[in-house]
Amino acid sequence: MKHELVKPDITVIGGGLAGVCAAISAARLGQQVALVQNRPVLGGNSSSEVRVWVCGATAHGINRYARETGIMGELFVENQYRNPEGNPYLWDLIILEAVRTESNISLYLNTDVHEVEATGDGDERMITSVTGWMMGSERKIRFESQIYLDCTGDGLVGFLAGAKFALGREARSEYGEEWAPEVADEITLGSTLLFYTKDAGAPVRYIPPSFAKDITQTSIPIRRVIRSGDSGCHYWWIEWGGEHDTVHDNELIRDELWSVIYGIWDYIKNSGKFDADNMTLEWIGSLPGKREYRRFTGDYVLTQNDIISQREFPDAVAFGGWSIDLHPPQGMYAEASGSKHMHADGVYHVPFRSLYSANVRNMLMAGRDISASHVAFGTTRVMATCAVIGEAAGTGAALCAAMGVSPRELYARHLAVLQQTLLRQDASIIGVRSHDELDLARRAKVTASSTLTGIALEQPGETYPLGTDVALLLPVHPVLSGLELLLDASSDTALTVELWDTGRKENYVPHSLQVTANVNVTTGTAQWVKLPLEWRPEEPQNAFIIIRSNKAVSLYHSTEAHSGVLIFFKTEENHVSKNLEDHATDQPVVLWSMQGLARQPFCCRTLSETTAYSPENTVNGYHRPYGGPQQWMSQPMQSGQPEWVQLTWEEPQSLAELHLTFNDDVNEDLVNLHHHHTTFRVMPELVRNYRVEMLSQSGEWLEIISAAENRKRKVIHTLDTPVYSQALRVNMDATNGSKYAELIEIRAYGEGTR
Ligand SMILES: Cc1cc2nc3c(=O)[nH]c(=O)nc-3n(C[C@H](O)[C@H](O)[C@H](O)COP(=O)(O)OP(=O)(O)OC[C@H]3O[C@@H](n4cnc5c(N)ncnc54)[C@H](O)[C@@H]3O)c2cc1C
């Protein structure tokens, strides 16, 4: 047996997505990080050991333009390229490689931390060390750091350090939450084991073990959805333990879950109700996926009301968008639906004060153990949200270590540094702009080879019968003076259209009616019909244009997607069984659905010019859609001709580093495992081949960067030797499929200013 002492700047305990993103972000900021994970693989509940699919703010396509950027965004995009089929082992590799790429991270797998030393009285605790046991290696390793991050999910480290925490459900009166129970209790969400099945190609017999549960004696066959061929997270509802202690009763809970899995499989194979002769079990989880345990108390406790009102926080550092998703205490045995869902009208904000302990001065937390009420935890718990919270906490930890301050001091004195650092890393803080003084691009004049000045989707694909209300969302920058729609009318009719604003710039639902028009349409096919919608909002924003149902009319889908343009249909039907998911259909993001309609806008053309795609957007400080696309878009590219964006300064600049952010369509709902499949490996809008040139003193353009086969959203080019130039040009030669060149952001830094 060996005793070891390591002294990294930061120790991150827990290698789920929160811990992984925390460690990567801190390491990228130059801190030495120990990432300590008690399993042989990274990823926590998303790993091949548990196999929960990673959900986030898109809420499986319910929220618009809501996919995460930053480190989680990188993982999604990389997985889509290397593992579009959703193989769980390949997902493990993607996470492992992302960690191993960071030379500042020392990774300790199989290392269980269960000793913590801390000093100070109850309100001023300081962790001085954590100690872990590396299983299989007989190594006892003590970690001494300035800052610690508890990303363990269960919150053991903070608990041992004396951090304040909550466990169970708060009473309604505590935070005034509609979905909290009248009386506080210790109920949590339960734990789950998943299983995979496959078709063996020949009959396979199944003899259940003696402990398999006869599920026909339970409400499961009636109240839940069992289908032969389902695998993995389709069975998320095999949940139990919410009325137990999900940590101390973990073994009991695992045995109950196993008995039910083997019983469900007996029911599928041997009840005669399923076509499952050739089906066999491929994998069965043995490590219960835990949903909930301790939630640390920070300087702010996020609540249901913050989520649903989309409360803006001065210290916002991350965002989420999954519904508040709570499950009945009895889990799979409940008569009630497996889950109930309350949605905000769009994404919500997470404050930094919820990411550090109120009483342990050098501890931050990320993941499912952050400072949130039980009800708010119902949404922050999904993994892409845990991951962006991890990036924010890791960034905060790195700044604390670099500046020698506590997280609370960082909040009080250096909040802008934290937010601006996150934005520079491509993390998203909704509605917060970059105002990085060191970014030279912000002082440049921006011009482009061409700019799209109107929206014209003129290539018709399939027709869409207007049997229900539909909507078209597009940017109005600064004015809309009419819109044409391509449609068929089977008889003369009057079409009603309404233009609504969306309320907040991060929302994509109708909020206030601005203009209504009734348009007479004569019988005919493929006719362009003018809608007299005139609108000049006080500031540029999106219009949500509702086209009321009309049985005589069919619209046309466009064969191509268009950045900044979305469509919706109004539906009061749940697309998932109510036994599993209960979403009240009058919630605007549910009522106005884009399920199945992403990337297929309706054929339309605006009758006024727009500045929504102007090249100045590349330096305006936003790097994701917000009241408009916030990007540059060229006219359709001509074969062999690059499109470019140019920065020109009044005086020559010394340039050492260039950041380019391309469009990876944050509306596309990517997922790591098998929930659904995105058909392309690389986002078509991403620029594939590009070159950067500088203007020499003699007036020639000299190439300084050349990139081919790009498939990333954010690319940072550090020049071997800084260049001195008055102008830079990014020439975009080819995309990954789109006919437009698109660029979201350019940043330029001088030497020593990054
Ligand atoms: C069955 C199930 C279905 C779910 N459905 C979804 C879904 O569809 N999509 C979604 O996004 N989310 C879903 N969730 C929620 C989500 O999985 C969790 O909230 C999320 O995994 C929390 O992330 P985390 O990084 O905080 O913790 P975890 O994923 O739990 O990771 C924490 C890691 O820390 C390690 N660890 C713990 N203690 C120690 C220690 N003392 N020393 C060292 N390492 C330690 C653990 O082994 C684990 O690997 C589901 C959860 C479950 C269980």
Side-chain angles (χ1 to χ4, degrees):
M1 176 183 157
K2 283 186 177 171
H3 285 270
E4 295 169 36
L5 171 65
V6 283
K7 293 188 171 188
D9 301 315
I10 295 168
T11 301
V12 178
I13 308 102
L17 285 185
V20 163
C21 292
I24 293 176
S25 59
R28 286 182 182 175
L29 289 169
Q31 301 299 314
Q32 294 299 316
V33 180
L35 174 58
V36 192
Q37 159 72 338
N38 64 3
R39 306 298 310 169
V41 290
L42 294 167
N45 283 340
S46 78
S47 73
S48 60
E49 289 193 312
V50 185
R51 305 193 184 193
V52 175
W53 51 49
V54 178
C55 300
T58 60
H60 284 331
I62 286 181
N63 271 322
R64 307 61 152 119
Y65 292 127
R67 200 178 74 240
E68 293 73 14
T69 59
I71 299 165
M72 186 63 238
E74 292 169 27
L75 294 173
F76 269 141
V77 168
E78 187 65 11
N79 187 68
Q80 179 61 24
Y81 179 66
R82 287 166 60 177
N83 182 29
E85 297 79 18
N87 181 319
Y89 299 106
L90 297 182
W91 171 244
D92 285 352
L93 284 183
I94 289 185
I95 305 173
L96 183 64
E97 282 205 330
V99 167
R100 287 216 167 132
T101 303
E102 302 299 332
S103 57
N104 287 340
I105 298 182
S106 304
L107 176 61
Y108 296 83
L109 291 174
N110 288 313
T111 305
D112 190 47
V113 169
H114 49 254
E115 290 173 31
V116 175
E117 285 179 355
T119 57
D121 69 22
D123 281 331
E124 287 290 322
R125 303 281 289 159
M126 285 284 284
I127 301 178
T128 51
S129 75
V130 301
T131 300
W133 174 256
M134 189 181 272
M135 287 169 279
S137 307
E138 296 192 2
R139 290 168 63 191
K140 189 169 183 179
I141 308 167
R142 180 183 168 95
F143 301 87
E144 291 180 3
S145 296
Q146 203 176 326
I147 302 282
Y148 298 82
L149 278 117
D150 186 329
C151 302
T152 61
D154 295 343
L156 179 65
V157 171
F159 171 73
L160 293 175
K164 293 178 182 163
F165 67 95
L167 183 60
R169 308 189 291 190
E170 292 88 354
R172 188 169 303 164
S173 57
E174 184 150 357
Y175 300 116
E177 296 174 307
E178 184 195 339
W179 269 18
E182 276 302 326
V183 179
D185 57 36
E186 295 199 338
I187 283 172
T188 61
L189 301 196
S191 302
T192 291
L193 285 174
L194 302 172
F195 66 102
Y196 272 38
T197 64
K198 69 174 181 191
D199 189 330
V204 179
R205 201 172 151 210
Y206 172 66
I207 302 167
S210 56
F211 59 81
K213 182 156 271 184
D214 178 0
I215 65 159
T216 62
Q217 300 306 304
T218 72
S219 60
I220 290 175
I222 305 159
R223 293 288 172 191
R224 298 294 180 257
V225 175
I226 298 180
R227 288 183 293 242
S228 173
D230 272 1
S231 271
C233 220
H234 289 124
Y235 285 108
W236 61 263
W237 52 263
I238 303 180
E239 171 177 354
W240 194 66
E243 295 172 308
H244 286 261
D245 178 320
T246 53
V247 164
H248 296 112
D249 295 334
N250 190 39
E251 297 283 299
L252 172 86
I253 293 168
R254 182 207 51 219
D255 288 349
E256 184 71 18
L257 295 169
W258 264 344
S259 76
V260 168
I261 287 180
Y262 288 111
I264 289 173
W265 195 238
D266 186 27
Y267 183 65
I268 289 176
K269 287 292 288 183
N270 300 327
S271 68
K273 295 185 176 171
F274 300 88
D275 179 14
D277 281 358
N278 291 2
M279 297 301 289
T280 190
L281 286 171
E282 189 190 13
W283 167 87
I284 296 180
S286 50
L287 179 70
K290 291 204 203 98
R291 285 185 176 81
E292 182 177 3
Y293 205 54
R294 299 182 187 92
R295 302 184 310 279
F296 291 115
T297 306
D299 276 354
Y300 190 84
V301 180
L302 195 67
T303 68
Q304 169 183 337
N305 300 321
D306 298 328
I307 304 290
I308 296 306
S309 68
Q310 301 173 275
R311 180 162 299 156
E312 290 175 0
F313 296 102
D315 58 329
V317 286
F319 77 103
W322 190 257
S323 55
I324 293 177
D325 170 0
L326 296 177
H327 303 181
Q330 305 78 16
M332 60 197 169
Y333 299 129
E335 293 282 320
S337 175
S339 61
K340 58 177 184 174
H341 298 256
M342 186 192 288
H343 296 262
D345 287 350
V347 297
Y348 60 83
H349 313 276
V350 179
F352 184 59
R353 282 164 298 155
S354 293
L355 311 189
Y356 60 86
S357 165
N359 68 313
V360 180
R361 287 188 50 202
N362 60 346
M363 187 188 107
L364 295 104
M365 54 272 184
R368 58 189 165 91
D369 60 4
I370 65 162
S371 179
S373 69
H374 167 80
V375 180
F377 150 89
T379 164
T380 58
R381 67 194 182 87
V382 290
M383 285 182 279
T385 304
C386 291
V388 295
I389 287 171
E391 177 163 2
T395 302
L399 294 175
C400 287
M403 297 179 185
V405 297
S406 68
R408 183 176 288 146
E409 287 163 341
L410 187 74
Y411 158 70
R413 306 206 323 250
H414 307 286
L415 193 56
V417 179
L418 172 61
Q419 290 179 323
Q420 293 298 313
T421 305
L422 282 162
L423 293 178
R424 194 170 56 205
Q425 294 164 188
D426 196 34
S428 294
I429 310 173
I430 304 299
V432 177
R433 277 176 194 255
S434 163
H435 50 74
D436 186 349
E437 292 296 323
L438 301 175
D439 175 8
L440 301 169
R442 298 175 59 75
R443 293 183 228 150
K445 179 167 179 266
V446 193
T447 49
S449 50
S450 74
T451 296
L452 196 76
T453 52
I455 294 166
L457 292 162
E458 295 174 330
Q459 294 301 320
E462 288 182 8
T463 54
Y464 185 95
L466 199 52
T468 177
D469 295 353
V470 299
L472 177 66
L473 178 124
L474 45 81
V476 176
H477 292 214
V479 67
L480 182 71
S481 307
L483 176 75
E484 287 184 327
L485 272 182
L486 186 66
L487 55 78
D488 293 347
S490 56
S491 60
D492 292 356
T493 185
L495 189 63
T496 302
V497 288
E498 296 164 0
L499 188 154
W500 295 66
D501 71 15
T502 62
R504 304 167 67 127
K505 289 187 176 175
E506 64 268 49
N507 289 359
Y508 300 90
V509 292
H511 177 262
S512 310
L513 180 61
Q514 303 293 322
V515 188
T516 304
N518 286 303
V519 184
N520 290 325
V521 180
T522 50
T523 311
T525 55
Q527 48 181 325
W528 285 99
V529 170
K530 184 176 171 192
L531 312 178
L533 296 171
E534 307 268 339
W535 192 41
R536 183 183 284 275
E538 274 179 17
E539 50 176 342
Q541 56 191 272
N542 287 314
F544 194 97
I545 298 168
I546 298 177
I547 304 146
R548 293 291 174 195
S549 70
N550 186 320
K551 293 239 158 53
V553 173
S554 291
L555 305 179
Y556 282 84
H557 284 296
S558 156
T559 53
E560 60 195 36
H562 195 291
S563 299
V565 180
L566 297 177
I567 61 168
F568 309 92
F569 65 102
K570 195 172 176 189
T571 175
E572 283 170 30
E573 276 170 36
N574 264 309
H575 65 282
V576 179
S577 161
K578 259 204 159 177
N579 280 334
L580 292 187
E581 294 182 22
D582 189 356
H583 301 257
T585 51
D586 56 355
Q587 305 176 89
V589 290
V590 179
L591 187 66
W592 291 98
S593 171
M594 56 177 187
Q595 299 279 346
L597 296 182
R599 305 186 71 83
Q600 307 176 58
F602 295 129
C603 284
C604 63
R605 51 194 186 208
T606 51
L607 298 177
S608 41
E609 290 211 335
T610 179
T611 57
Y613 303 98
S614 79
E616 285 83 12
N617 289 344
T618 59
V619 297
N620 76 358
Y622 290 120
H623 66 210
R624 62 179 301 131
Y626 182 67
Q630 306 295 357
Q631 61 163 91
W632 166 77
M633 196 162 164
S634 72
Q635 295 280 351
M637 294 179 83
Q638 304 299 319
S639 165
Q641 271 188 354
E643 292 283 347
W644 50 259
V645 171
Q646 181 175 324
L647 302 180
T648 310
W649 290 272
E650 285 179 4
E651 302 291 333
Q653 306 287 322
S654 174
L655 301 161
E657 190 170 284
L658 195 64
H659 295 211
L660 300 174
T661 307
F662 299 107
N663 181 17
D664 66 347
D665 186 11
V666 292
N667 193 51
E668 181 69 29
D669 178 29
L670 298 180
V671 70
N672 64 324
L673 300 180
H674 60 282
H675 179 270
H676 57 264
H677 292 294
T678 290
T679 50
F680 31 81
R681 295 179 93 102
V682 181
M683 299 299 132
E685 289 77 15
L686 282 168
V687 168
R688 191 172 81 232
N689 301 334
Y690 62 92
R691 294 163 292 117
V692 181
E693 294 172 317
M694 62 168 253
L695 190 62
S696 72
Q697 278 170 341
S698 60
E700 283 169 288
W701 286 103
L702 303 178
E703 189 173 296
I704 53 170
I705 295 166
S706 169
E709 303 298 324
N710 175 56
R711 52 189 169 77
K712 300 205 165 157
R713 168 184 160 88
K714 170 138 187 165
V715 189
I716 299 179
H717 292 284
T718 307
L719 303 177
D720 293 339
T721 319
V723 297
Y724 191 66
S725 175
Q726 199 167 347
L728 276 188
R729 192 179 264 190
V730 184
N731 293 292
M732 288 156 261
D733 295 309
T735 70
N736 281 286
S738 170
K739 70 181 189 193
Y740 304 98
E742 301 185 34
L743 186 62
I744 292 182
E745 185 175 65
I746 315 183
R747 290 171 178 243
Y749 295 94
E751 201 174 11
T753 60
R754 306 155 223 164

